[in-house]
Structures are given as C-alpha cells and as structure tokens.
Amino acid sequence: MQQIINFLIKNKTFLLFLLLFSISVFLTFQSHSYHKSKFINSANFLTGGIYKSANNIKQYFGLKEENEILLEENNRLKSILFNVKTEELKQLYSNKKTSINYKLITAQVYKNSYSATNNYLTINKGIKDSVKQDLGVITSKGIVGIIDNTSKKYARVMSILNTNSRINSQLKKSDHFGTLKWNAESPQIVQLVDVPKLAPVAVGDTIITGGRSTIFPKGIGIGKVVSFQLDETENYYIIDVKLFNDMTNIGHVYIIENLDAEEISTLYNQDE
Amino acid sequence: MNSIATTHIIRFIVLVLIQALVLNNINFLGFINPYIYILFIILYPIKNNRLLFIFLSFLLGLTVDLFLDSGGVHAAACVTIAYARPVFLKSVFGATYDHQTIKFSSTDFGQRITYFSIITLIHHLILFSLEIFNTSKIILILKKSLFSSIFTILLCILITILFSRKNK
C-alpha cells in the first residue's frame, strides 16, 4: 500500500498529464460522432454571449451585402407571386391542412467556420424560440446544415462542411439520389456519393435535396455538378458539387421545421 | 507574486478572446489559421508548480475548444506541450536552465526561435492529427500543420518583440 502511494506521489505529474490527455481525447472522439458533444460546444451562455457581442459590431460591416441578398430574394419571390393567378393562391390558402407542412424561423449566424474538418455554426435562436435538434438550416440560395445542439438562447448547426454530415440529395432532372458528404478539401466543393451508374449525370446539372429525410423538404438547391467519376467498385458515381451558397460568408439563415417529422419517424420506427 | 498571477490571468483571457474572435477568422488561403494562444504556455514562468501549469494548459485548451467547437483537440495538444516543456527547455537552453531564472526577453534570439518552433510544431501536429484523425489524409495533416506553424511562429515572435518591456 505504502509503495502504491509512493508511486502515485512520485509520478503525479505524469498521471495528471495522462488523466487530462485522456479526457481531451475522449471529448475529441465524442465530437466525431453526431449528437454526442453535449458539453463542449459553442451554444452555451458564455461563448454564445461573447460571440453575440462581437457579432453586434461585425454586423454593421455586412449590412450592404445582406441588403442586396434580401432584395434579390424579395425580387424572386415577388416575381413568382405576380405570375401566379389569384384563384390558385386562394386555393392554396383555403386548404391549410395539406399545404402547411413546414414552419420557418429566421436566425442570425454568430459564428461560422470552414477551415477545420468538422465545422459548426452558432446561431442566435435556441430552445426559447422552439428550435430543436435535427431541424434543417438553409439560406435563400441553398442548404447550410442541420442543428445538432441547442441551449436556451443559442443553437449549434452542423455545417455541410463537416465530415460527419450526411444529407440525402438527388439530381434535379431525374430522381436518382445519393448522399452528400464532404472530404474536407475545399469549402466550395462537396461530394455526392452513392449515385447509381445508370443516372444521367452531366457537368452543370443541378443537385437538390431529396425528400427522403424528414429534415429538408424536397427541392432545396444545393449546387452544380463540376466533375464526376466512378468509385472503386465502378457501380456508383462520386460527384463533385459546387455549392450555390458561399459557405464562407453567411449572415442570415432560415430554420426549417417539418411539422410532420414526428409522425413520419414513428411510422419508420414501427418497422424496426 | 500577485502581479505575476494577474498578468497571467489577463494574458489567458486576452489570448483566448483574440484567438476566438480575430485569428480564427483569418483563414488565409482557405485553411491557414495561426494559433497564438499557446504563447501562454510558451511564456509561463519556468519556476512553477508543474501540476498547476499542466492543469491551466488543459483549461486553456478546453476554453479554446469551447469557442471553436472542436471537441477536445486543443486541450489534448496543450496538455502535451505543457507536460513536455521541460524537455524542450533543456534541449534548447542547456541543462542548467532551471538554475538560472531565465527571462525569455533576455535569451538569445536564435535560441528563442528554436524553442518557439519546436513547441509550435509539436502542438500543431497533435492538433491536426486529432482533428482530422484519418491516416489516409496524412498529407493534409502535414500540410496544415506546417503552414499554420509558420504563421504561428512568425506571429508569436512578433508579439513577444512588440510587448517585451526590456529596452536595450
């Protein structure tokens, strides 16, 4: 017993080092799997608060650009609105039960990163604003990511520029779908994998979200095909997709809540 | 003694804030960021309580991790360089470094650069290996650690020169 205590005292520095090192490695491994990094994330009151005050200043420098983006989007929506006949609109509003499946919440990005291999964004809406895990996040141009952690006032978004991110997406012109991943090389290019060889892929094709998950509605723009090749098995394509969004410059985002998500997931869970 | 503690507490906070709010948005060429918060570990007094020092380094790394959403990679890298610092000090400044109370500002410039470079390189190598954690991307790990190290070393040396109180 005496010897054990002596040993502990003699090697206390090394043991402390070992303990702290294993804690950090443990935290690292946890962060490599989705939904598990509960404690170490920037959606807490301290880091969220600091990012908030920094963002209050930073916001002013991007006002002009933000305005232009909003104008552009307004313009697009107005042109759709004016070209739709009023009867169609009335019809759309009259059967509310079927048409309203998605709820949108606006939010502002406080922190964005794109140089690491697992990138996250911090936004200024949290549980208080009924933001939950697994909601989709988009901008007016395309998708941004999925919410993976929330606190009272802030939420953390797992960016599509994250090696853990998997998003169901498909070609716009045909219904061939695949999984959107990122190989951590360029913040503009993501990879669409597992698209069958039969799919008619061409450079310049548009990639949109597939409606197969409960997170994103079908048809949100992702990007354009820049190049494609077959994988090792020669049965599936690996497609390089250039994002519509400039992931390095994101100001305002929309959070999408699928109001039927619970119903759909209970349906799937019955199978298991 | 008290003023030294205050200096270090202020240094800790300032370095973390600068790292999180300014330096992490540089993204030079898309992926190069300096990590100058390790200046806290580099410049920590040589005569110290090692247990406290290692624990403080862990806390420093963890705080940076909180801001950058990186799990525990910064904490791991910081703890390692803090634990191994006496070895680097001995190899760079000679075996008698702990008998004389070295002031970093009064050491030889070349020695100082070597010391900074060793610590920075090891820190970055551990940092990026854990962050990417994929043996098939070893080139990416080496590329990132090399370029970020150069940036970090340059900035660290500039900062120590700018903020050194000694006037020749």
Side-chain angles (χ1 to χ4, degrees):
Chain A
M1 192 63 203
Q2 186 70 35
Q3 274 183 333
I4 296 174
I5 293 171
N6 273 343
F7 173 79
L8 285 180
I9 292 172
K10 222 168 94 187
N11 291 311
K12 59 178 190 272
T13 339
F14 180 68
L15 289 172
L16 179 74
F17 162 69
L18 217 60
L19 174 76
L20 295 178
F21 190 76
S22 19
I23 292 176
S24 23
V25 170
F26 171 71
L27 288 172
T28 310
F29 286 154
Q30 265 202 334
S31 78
H32 283 204
S33 47
Y34 181 49
H35 275 181
K36 281 226 175 123
S37 42
K38 277 270 179 296
F39 308 108
I40 307 298
N41 67 63
S42 61
N44 59 43
F45 77 100
L46 176 75
T47 47
I50 289 172
Y51 277 133
K52 183 182 176 182
S53 35
N55 196 64
N56 275 340
I57 303 165
K58 215 163 65 183
Q59 220 183 330
Y60 286 103
F61 298 103
L63 276 182
K64 204 175 157 194
E65 244 168 277
E66 278 302 322
N67 260 332
E68 265 161 29
I69 293 170
L70 282 179
L71 262 179
E72 221 170 87
E73 194 189 4
N74 254 336
N75 185 24
R76 196 168 53 83
L77 293 177
K78 282 252 164 75
S79 64
I80 293 173
L81 194 68
F82 292 149
N83 291 324
V84 172
K85 300 223 169 61
T86 18
E87 294 92 68
E88 285 176 38
L89 268 181
K90 265 182 194 157
Q91 212 175 16
L92 202 68
Y93 279 114
S94 59
N95 50 0
K96 269 182 184 160
K97 264 179 195 160
T98 51
S99 61
I100 298 179
N101 284 335
Y102 295 99
K103 202 174 101 188
L104 287 178
I105 306 164
T106 56
Q108 202 175 1
V109 174
Y110 277 169
K111 174 230 154 194
N112 182 14
S113 74
Y114 50 90
S115 61
T117 46
N118 295 321
N119 294 298
Y120 296 94
L121 297 91
T122 309
I123 55 173
N124 70 341
K125 292 282 159 77
I127 299 168
K128 219 177 61 183
D129 312 279
S130 73
V131 169
K132 300 176 287 200
Q133 241 172 31
D134 287 333
L135 301 189
V137 178
I138 60 168
T139 66
S140 54
K141 287 180 191 159
I143 60 168
V144 172
I146 298 170
I147 289 180
D148 86 328
N149 246 311
T150 47
S151 71
K152 210 171 156 198
K153 282 196 239 162
Y154 310 101
R156 187 173 78 159
V157 182
M158 185 167 81
S159 159
I160 39 172
L161 301 183
N162 186 314
T163 45
N164 298 324
S165 147
R166 303 276 181 277
I167 289 167
N168 176 281
S169 34
Q170 66 172 65
L171 295 167
K172 196 179 182 182
K173 62 179 178 187
S174 71
D175 268 340
H176 292 98
F177 64 92
T179 311
L180 203 69
K181 287 183 182 175
W182 188 51
N183 65 0
E185 265 159 32
S186 157
Q188 268 111 43
I189 310 278
V190 292
Q191 280 70 36
L192 182 65
V193 298
D194 294 343
V195 178
K197 202 176 166 183
L198 292 167
V201 187
V203 172
D205 279 358
T206 307
I207 306 290
I208 57 173
T209 54
R212 282 169 190 82
S213 71
T214 54
I215 297 172
F216 291 106
K218 189 178 171 174
I220 294 173
I222 295 173
K224 272 194 159 43
V225 176
V226 282
S227 69
F228 57 92
Q229 68 198 58
L230 287 171
D231 65 359
E232 302 99 58
T233 58
E234 304 248 311
N235 284 324
Y236 294 100
Y237 280 123
I238 300 175
I239 304 174
D240 279 342
V241 181
K242 189 171 190 304
L243 293 169
F244 288 138
N245 259 334
D246 179 6
M247 288 300 287
T248 61
N249 180 17
I250 290 178
H252 286 92
V253 293
Y254 303 98
I255 303 164
I256 306 180
E257 184 179 0
N258 185 346
L259 298 175
D260 295 338
E262 221 168 286
E263 201 179 322
I264 296 170
S265 52
T266 44
L267 197 68
Y268 282 136
N269 288 338
Q270 279 173 359
D271 291 348
E272 284 163 10
Chain B
M1 188 62 215
N2 222 344
S3 82
I4 293 175
T6 332
T7 325
H8 282 96
I9 292 167
I10 292 172
R11 190 183 279 163
F12 185 104
I13 297 169
V14 169
L15 281 174
V16 168
L17 284 182
I18 289 181
Q19 183 64 48
L21 299 179
V22 183
L23 295 175
N24 236 59
N25 297 318
I26 290 182
N27 293 313
F28 182 59
L29 297 182
F31 64 93
I32 303 172
N33 277 332
Y35 294 97
I36 59 140
Y37 68 92
I38 54 167
L39 261 181
F40 177 80
I41 297 170
I42 293 177
L43 298 180
Y44 199 79
I46 290 168
K47 281 199 180 228
N48 58 43
N49 178 351
R50 269 190 88 190
L51 292 180
L52 182 70
F53 175 48
I54 290 177
F55 185 70
L56 279 178
S57 309
F58 175 71
L59 217 61
L60 175 75
L62 207 64
T63 328
V64 174
D65 276 328
L66 266 180
F67 275 102
L68 305 189
D69 285 310
S70 46
V73 290
H74 288 276
C78 280
V79 168
T80 318
I81 56 167
Y83 177 71
R85 198 178 75 143
V87 183
F88 306 140
L89 280 170
K90 203 174 271 177
S91 62
V92 174
F93 297 111
T96 54
Y97 78 91
D98 48 351
H99 296 305
Q100 6 166 323
T101 44
I102 298 177
K103 280 250 167 192
F104 284 104
S105 49
S106 62
T107 51
D108 184 37
F109 190 65
Q111 281 183 332
R112 219 186 319 163
I113 292 183
T114 331
Y115 170 61
F116 280 19
S117 314
I118 294 176
I119 285 203
T120 314
L121 271 173
I122 291 184
H123 174 269
H124 283 33
L125 210 59
I126 297 170
L127 179 74
F128 290 117
S129 324
L130 278 177
E131 187 197 299
I132 298 170
F133 209 71
N134 192 341
T135 42
S136 63
K137 290 199 177 125
I138 200 143
I139 301 292
L140 186 69
I141 295 175
L142 291 176
K143 195 174 78 175
K144 269 191 157 182
S145 14
L146 182 69
F147 290 129
S148 296
S149 294
I150 294 170
F151 208 168
T152 310
I153 294 165
L154 275 178
L155 265 183
C156 281
I157 288 169
L158 281 179
I159 287 169
T160 44
I161 290 173
L162 274 178
F163 288 92
S164 67
R165 276 181 220 137
K166 200 190 71 173
N167 297 310
K168 269 187 184 169

